[in-house]
Amino acid sequence: MRIAIDCRMLGSGGIGSYLSGLLPSFLAEHHCLLIAARGQCAAFRSHPNAEYCECAVPPFSLKELCFFPRDIVQKINECDAYFTPYCNIPRGIRVPVFATIHDIVFLDVPDLTSALGRLVRKWFYQHAINRSRTVFTVSEFSRERIMAKLRCNRPPVVTYNAAPAYLREPFPHPVEKNGTILFVGNIKRHKGLAALLAAYDRARAQGLSATLTIVGNAENFRTGDDKTARQLTGAAVRGITFTGKISDEQLKYVYAQARVLVQPSCYEGFGMPPLEAMTVGTEAIVSDIPVFREIYRDFPVTYFAVGNADDLAEKLIAVIKKPARSIAVPAVYSYEKSAAIIMRCIRDAR
C-alpha cells in the first residue's frame, strides 16, 4: 500500500512529535510519499520505503486550500490514501483522506482568539471531518468534545500520543537532580502558567528554595497573555530562568535533572510534558482536569485543583520536601500501537 503523508508540520510542537513517532511504523510496512518542506524529513529520507516530495506551500494557507501544486496533487492521487497529522487538507485530493484533530481548544476556550478566529478554525475542523474517511484524535476527552461541537457522521478514532523514542533511550551516565521546578509549554491562557507563577511565589514566601525553569525564550513569553507577562517581571531575581531554544537531546537532560515538572493546564487534548518527564524519571504535578484523569489515571502523578495557586503551592512544597521517588511508567501508550490503529482504518477503507 502507498500512503501519502503530509510532513510539513514536522518539528512543530506536539503535532510534529506525533507524526515523527508514527512515521517509523508507517515506513516499516508501506511505501510512503513524504510531502515536506526543504530540510524536513532528513531522518526518514534514506529509508527504502520513503519517497520525498518537496512542497513549499505553508499549511493553512490560501494557496494550500485553492492553488495546491497540481504535480503534488497528482502524486498524492497515485497513492492509496492520504494521511495528515492535523486538520489541513489541500484541494484536489481524490484518494481516501485520513485527518487528525488533536483538540478543539479554540472552540472550547473562546477567549483564546477572536470570533473570526474561532469561525475560521471551526471551518477547518468541520472541513476535515467532512473530507475524511476517518478522523483520529488523541484522547477520549477530545473525541467527546469534537462530537459535542462539530457534526460527525461517525465518532473520531482515538489513537493517543506517546513518549518520543529519544526519551526512552538510556543516558550514557547517571543524571543528578538539580532541584528545579520545570514548566514546558507556552503563555496561552489555557496552559495555566499564571497559576504556576503565583504558586511559585507563595511557595518561596514559605521558605521553598527551588528555582523555576521555563523551557523557551523569555522574549517569547513576554508576548501574548498580558497578565502572565506581568507576572514574569523580575523573573531572574525571583529564581525564574529560561532555557532558551534547546534541542531534543538538551530537553531530555532538562527533564531528567528537574525535581518536578508542573503541568498547570486548564485545557489539553492530551498533555505531553508529564509523560515525557516521567519517562526519564521526573515526578509530575498536574491540574485536576478530565483529560489528565483519563491520560494519567495509571501514572504516579500528583493532582492539584485547577487554577488554585494555594493548592499548587502546597503540593510543590510537599513533593520537593520528600526524597525523590523512583518513577515507574506503565506501558500504556506507544506510537507503534497508535500507528497500527491508523493503518488498520486505512486498510479497512480500501
Side-chain angles (χ1 to χ4, degrees):
M1 186 162 59
R2 297 183 73 227
I3 306 173
I5 303 175
D6 187 351
C7 299
R8 290 173 294 156
M9 297 192 76
L10 275 175
S12 177
I15 295 168
S17 296
Y18 175 76
L19 179 58
S20 63
L22 295 172
L23 278 174
S25 294
F26 286 148
L27 288 165
E29 296 189 30
H30 303 286
H31 183 91
C32 298
L33 176 67
L34 307 180
I35 302 157
R38 182 175 296 178
Q40 290 181 316
C41 290
F44 303 102
R45 287 195 203 181
S46 60
H47 195 285
N49 283 341
E51 177 187 351
Y52 175 68
C53 177
E54 185 174 320
C55 179
V57 178
F60 297 102
S61 64
L62 180 62
K63 188 173 182 179
E64 178 188 59
L65 282 174
C66 303
F67 308 105
F68 205 68
R70 292 184 180 180
D71 59 330
I72 299 179
V73 171
Q74 182 177 346
K75 288 183 178 180
I76 292 171
N77 288 332
E78 291 170 356
C79 297
D80 297 298
Y82 176 80
F83 173 76
T84 172
Y86 203 29
C87 57
N88 54 309
I89 302 169
R91 185 177 180 182
I93 298 175
R94 297 191 302 274
V95 297
V97 172
F98 299 84
T100 312
I101 300 175
H102 292 253
D103 61 57
I104 55 166
V105 63
F106 290 101
L107 304 186
D108 278 340
V109 187
D111 63 353
L112 288 179
T113 186
S114 64
L116 178 59
R118 288 194 301 277
L119 186 64
V120 169
R121 287 169 172 84
K122 186 173 183 177
W123 184 91
F124 273 104
Y125 297 145
Q126 191 64 58
H127 179 65
I129 291 170
N130 296 344
R131 288 282 288 109
S132 300
R133 292 287 183 93
T134 303
V135 168
F136 303 104
T137 192
V138 294
S139 64
E140 290 291 341
F141 171 79
S142 280
R143 185 184 71 85
E144 291 167 5
R145 297 310 304 148
I146 291 167
M147 293 179 68
K149 291 281 188 174
L150 299 159
R151 299 186 307 276
C152 301
N153 293 326
R154 66 185 74 177
V157 173
V158 177
T159 60
Y160 290 113
N161 272 308
Y166 75 91
L167 289 176
R168 301 195 302 271
E169 297 171 358
F171 289 94
H173 306 286
V175 178
E176 293 186 5
K177 296 290 183 184
N178 58 19
T180 60
I181 301 163
L182 183 64
F183 173 82
V184 179
N186 59 49
I187 202 170
K188 292 176 182 176
R189 286 188 184 91
H190 69 286
K191 293 296 184 180
L193 179 57
L196 172 56
L197 292 171
Y200 174 69
D201 286 340
R202 291 172 197 185
R204 278 171 57 87
Q206 296 177 53
L208 186 73
S209 59
T211 58
L212 171 62
T213 297
I214 297 175
V215 173
N217 293 312
E219 292 75 15
N220 294 341
F221 280 84
R222 292 191 178 112
T223 60
D225 181 49
D226 291 339
K227 177 183 176 182
T228 307
R230 287 194 298 271
Q231 286 178 281
L232 287 167
T233 302
V237 176
R238 291 153 54 211
I240 301 173
T241 61
F242 294 84
T243 63
K245 186 177 181 180
I246 56 176
S247 66
D248 286 345
E249 191 61 26
Q250 289 171 317
L251 177 60
K252 180 178 179 179
Y253 277 89
V254 169
Y255 270 133
Q257 291 168 338
R259 177 64 183 82
V260 62
L261 172 125
V262 180
Q263 185 79 19
S265 306
C266 305
Y267 188 105
E268 291 285 350
F270 184 98
M272 287 291 294
L275 177 59
E276 293 176 340
M278 287 185 285
T279 298
V280 296
T282 292
E283 294 185 61
I285 300 175
V286 304
S287 48
D288 194 351
I289 56 177
V291 71
F292 287 164
R293 285 289 179 180
E294 172 194 348
I295 299 300
Y296 296 114
R297 60 181 176 268
D298 297 320
F299 290 74
V301 299
T302 298
Y303 291 97
F304 77 96
V306 59
N308 189 322
D310 289 328
D311 188 38
L312 177 52
E314 289 180 13
K315 299 294 169 56
L316 279 171
I317 293 169
V319 168
I320 291 175
K321 277 186 175 180
K322 296 177 182 177
R325 58 177 170 164
S326 176
I327 301 294
V329 179
V332 178
Y333 310 112
S334 79
Y335 282 120
E336 292 79 12
K337 292 180 185 177
S338 298
I341 294 170
I342 293 169
M343 288 189 287
R344 184 171 63 247
C345 290
I346 293 174
R347 283 193 297 267
D348 291 347
R350 295 183 69 190

